[in-house]
């Protein structure tokens, strides 16, 4: 007799909800933040510089430009790429809305290229198919923490004259054929939201090896002004571009710098959890585990399973509700961007625009994964997934 799921009146696997992601802030982080709060500089000071330098060194880039969020980082990268009104930018449907939105902020048109059915990463052949004379740039997302097919995408970008922006909000510390993400695309974008690998509460970064792109990014995050107060000896300054206040404060940067020291430990723990899920779920009926392509060092921001719906007597909504009833805080990453009302109404998109992503969207469930999870939390997730899928197995 199978265990009765909590959704159908059984006892839940655990008494309290386990979130899908959570930060890990410790005493050293608090001390670093407190130190900056009592210093002379709360913003545009030495902690920002120190965080940028440490981050650039970590990802092997010449420049790192800190900004106020991952979304600001995307906006700055699209601006620095020189996208003009009427230009097109290609991106993936299976991501957070910020990627396509960043193209819209600068007056461009987002064009969605479908994903690979196994890895759910943007498909290079689909990118190639979508390039037109109006295409200015490509934003490819390292979905779940797995680097995109960088060599092929770089080759397409070079041949078709596109700026290649890598959205590595899920992938700080990841590697592609041994080389760190952050050193490979024309510009790479990171987020420090609390669910990401390293947090500054809110924050983001753009890395690049290109001096002139770095200069444009720095000016853009500071209202389009070419100098900061600390760099000036007189009252004079020049606004040369229309920018924004997208600065990251020294308080946030101090937290980021302290967190960055623990990045390797955070990644190691995420890998252990992913490996535990892989082992336990190998023989669980009704799901497919995440697929890792050759040459990728995956850093497991998300652990996304694909339900094998023909083998289950329920749809994703019911499996999702059943797992939540067990107090497992599963999630779905992502509602395809073309499905959102704004994109449907303004661009006539919706389901059908990217059939592989549309089909994947019906099957995907994100299991909790974050470094602070205890071994008992990991066991609870495994127990609940097995309990629910065995119950619904046909
Ligand atoms: C988190 C995230 C963003 C946005 O970052 P914020 O810091 O929340 O603005 C953009 N793209 C992807 C893929 C993300 O996961």
């Amino acid at each position: 007799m199978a265990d009765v799921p909590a959704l159908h009146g059984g006892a839940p696997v655990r008494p309290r909800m386990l979130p899908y992601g959570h930060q890990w802030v410790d005493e050293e982080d608090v001390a670093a933040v407190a130190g900056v709060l009592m210093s002379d500089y709360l913003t545009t000071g030495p902690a920002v510089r120190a965080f940028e330098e440490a981050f650039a060194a970590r990802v092997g880039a010449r420049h790192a430009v800190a900004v106020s969020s991952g979304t600001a980082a995307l906006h700055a990268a699209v601006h620095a790429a020189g996208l003009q009104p009427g230009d097109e930018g290609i991106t993936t449907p299976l991501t957070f809305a910020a990627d396509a939105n960043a193209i819209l902020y600068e007056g461009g048109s987002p064009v969605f290229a479908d994903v690979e059915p196994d890895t759910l990463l943007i498909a290079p052949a689909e990118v190639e198919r979508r390039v037109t004379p109006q295409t200015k740039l490509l934003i490819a997302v390292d979905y779940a923490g797995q680097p995109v097919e960088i060599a092929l995408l770089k080759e397409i970008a070079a041949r078709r004259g596109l700026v290649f922006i890598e959205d590595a909000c899920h992938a700080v510390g990841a590697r592609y054929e041994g080389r760190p993400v952050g050193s490979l695309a024309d510009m790479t974008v990171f987020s420090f939201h609390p669910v990401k690998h390293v947090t500054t509460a809110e924050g983001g970064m753009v890395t690049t090896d290109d001096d002139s792109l770095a200069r444009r990014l720095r000016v853009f995050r500071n209202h389009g002004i070419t100098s900061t107060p600390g760099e000036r000896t007189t009252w004079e300054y020049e606004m040369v571009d229309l920018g924004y206040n997208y600065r990251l404060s020294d308080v946030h940067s101090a937290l980021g710098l302290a967190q960055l020291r623990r990045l390797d430990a955070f990644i190691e723990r995420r890998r252990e959890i992913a490996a535990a899920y892989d082992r336990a779920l190998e023989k669980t009926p009704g799901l497919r585990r995440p697929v890792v392509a050759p040459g990728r060092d995956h850093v497991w921001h998300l652990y996304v399973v694909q339900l094998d719906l023909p083998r289950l007597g329920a749809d994703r909504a019911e499996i999702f509700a059943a797992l939540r009833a067990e107090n497992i805080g599963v999630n779905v990453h992502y509602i395809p961007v073309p499905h959102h009302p704004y994109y449907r109404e303004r661009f006539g998109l919706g389901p059908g625009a990217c059939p592989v992503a549309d089909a994947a969207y019906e099957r995907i469930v994100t299991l909790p994964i974050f470094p602070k999870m205890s071994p008992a939390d990991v066991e609870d997730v495994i127990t609940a997934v097995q309990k629910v899928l065995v119950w619904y197995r046909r």
Side-chain angles (χ1 to χ4, degrees):
M1 193 49 208
D3 240 6
V4 179
L7 190 65
H8 299 294
V13 163
R14 50 183 286 131
R16 283 196 314 132
M17 188 64 81
L18 179 71
Y20 88 87
H22 196 267
Q23 73 274 12
W24 190 346
V25 173
D26 71 5
E27 296 295 333
E28 278 185 41
D29 296 330
V30 173
V33 169
V36 164
L37 280 171
M38 300 305 284
S39 78
D40 287 337
Y41 289 94
L42 296 186
T43 192
T44 321
V48 180
R49 257 283 167 227
F51 183 35
E52 289 178 336
E53 281 168 14
F55 197 90
R58 172 65 213 238
V59 305
R62 276 170 58 80
H63 305 280
V65 180
V67 291
S68 52
S69 69
T71 302
L74 283 164
H75 186 185
V78 168
H79 182 81
L83 182 105
Q84 300 290 322
D87 287 348
E88 293 171 2
I90 297 175
T91 190
T92 171
L94 212 57
T95 185
F96 187 56
D99 294 281
N101 290 355
I103 295 165
L104 288 175
Y105 294 157
E106 292 291 299
S109 300
V111 173
F112 295 96
D114 212 344
V115 297
E116 304 279 12
D118 51 357
T119 59
L120 306 180
L121 297 168
I122 198 167
E126 290 297 311
V127 171
E128 180 95 56
R129 212 160 68 77
R130 304 278 175 175
V131 177
T132 73
Q134 279 68 52
T135 311
K136 179 71 194 179
L137 56 83
L138 162 67
I139 307 177
V141 177
D142 297 332
Y143 176 81
Q146 170 163 219
V148 284
E149 180 47 278
I150 289 169
L152 264 174
L153 294 174
K154 267 182 103 149
E155 187 275 317
I156 293 167
R159 188 159 37 76
R160 310 298 294 261
L162 315 182
V163 178
F164 177 21
I165 299 169
E166 184 177 357
D167 177 344
C169 288
H170 297 180
V172 58
R175 287 173 178 268
Y176 176 87
E177 293 185 343
R179 295 169 64 202
V181 160
S183 68
L184 304 167
D186 294 317
M187 286 176 276
T188 309
V189 167
F190 299 89
S191 163
F192 307 124
H193 180 277
V195 296
K196 309 293 164 74
H197 287 72
V198 163
T199 191
T200 62
E202 296 280 2
M205 192 78 81
V206 188
T207 62
T208 182
D209 282 343
D210 185 303
D211 297 347
S212 81
L213 287 175
R215 208 171 315 113
R216 292 195 69 176
L217 293 164
R218 288 188 188 286
V219 169
F220 187 72
R221 75 157 172 203
N222 188 38
H223 308 276
I225 294 169
T226 53
S227 61
T228 62
E231 293 162 351
R232 290 173 208 144
T233 51
T234 74
W235 70 88
E236 288 176 290
Y237 61 86
E238 286 185 309
M239 184 195 133
V240 297
D241 191 8
L242 182 61
Y244 292 77
N245 178 355
Y246 277 163
R247 295 186 301 262
L248 189 70
S249 80
D250 282 57
V251 181
H252 295 86
S253 298
L255 179 55
L257 189 58
Q259 287 257 307
L260 196 58
R261 296 193 194 106
R262 288 194 286 150
L263 175 60
D264 287 324
F266 287 159
I267 291 172
E268 190 50 40
R269 181 66 189 133
R270 286 177 181 272
R271 288 199 170 126
E272 284 171 9
I273 297 166
Y277 287 166
D278 272 344
R279 276 192 306 275
L281 301 179
E282 187 185 355
K283 296 203 175 67
T284 303
L287 67 73
R288 276 180 287 155
R289 297 170 301 162
V291 173
V292 182
R296 321 297 163 91
D297 276 351
H298 198 311
V299 289
W300 301 106
H301 166 59
L302 304 173
Y303 189 95
V304 178
V305 299
Q306 297 199 43
L307 299 176
D308 189 0
L309 293 172
R311 294 181 60 189
L312 296 168
D315 61 6
R316 193 266 313 278
E318 176 140 5
I319 305 283
F320 183 96
L323 288 166
R324 282 280 178 98
E326 302 297 338
N327 285 320
I328 304 301
V330 287
N331 217 314
V332 172
H333 294 92
Y334 290 89
I335 302 164
V337 178
H339 292 206
H340 287 297
Y342 185 87
Y343 281 91
R344 286 183 195 238
E345 285 156 27
R346 182 157 165 200
F347 298 100
L349 295 168
C354 294
V356 178
D358 294 339
Y361 170 56
E362 302 297 332
R363 295 193 297 260
I364 49 180
V365 175
T366 305
L367 304 185
I369 190 167
F370 55 94
K372 216 180 176 182
M373 275 175 82
S374 70
D377 293 334
V378 175
E379 279 312 308
D380 286 346
V381 174
I382 291 167
T383 303
V385 170
Q386 289 175 339
K387 175 182 173 184
V388 165
L389 293 190
V390 167
W391 175 267
Y392 286 108
R393 174 171 54 182
R394 277 201 210 275

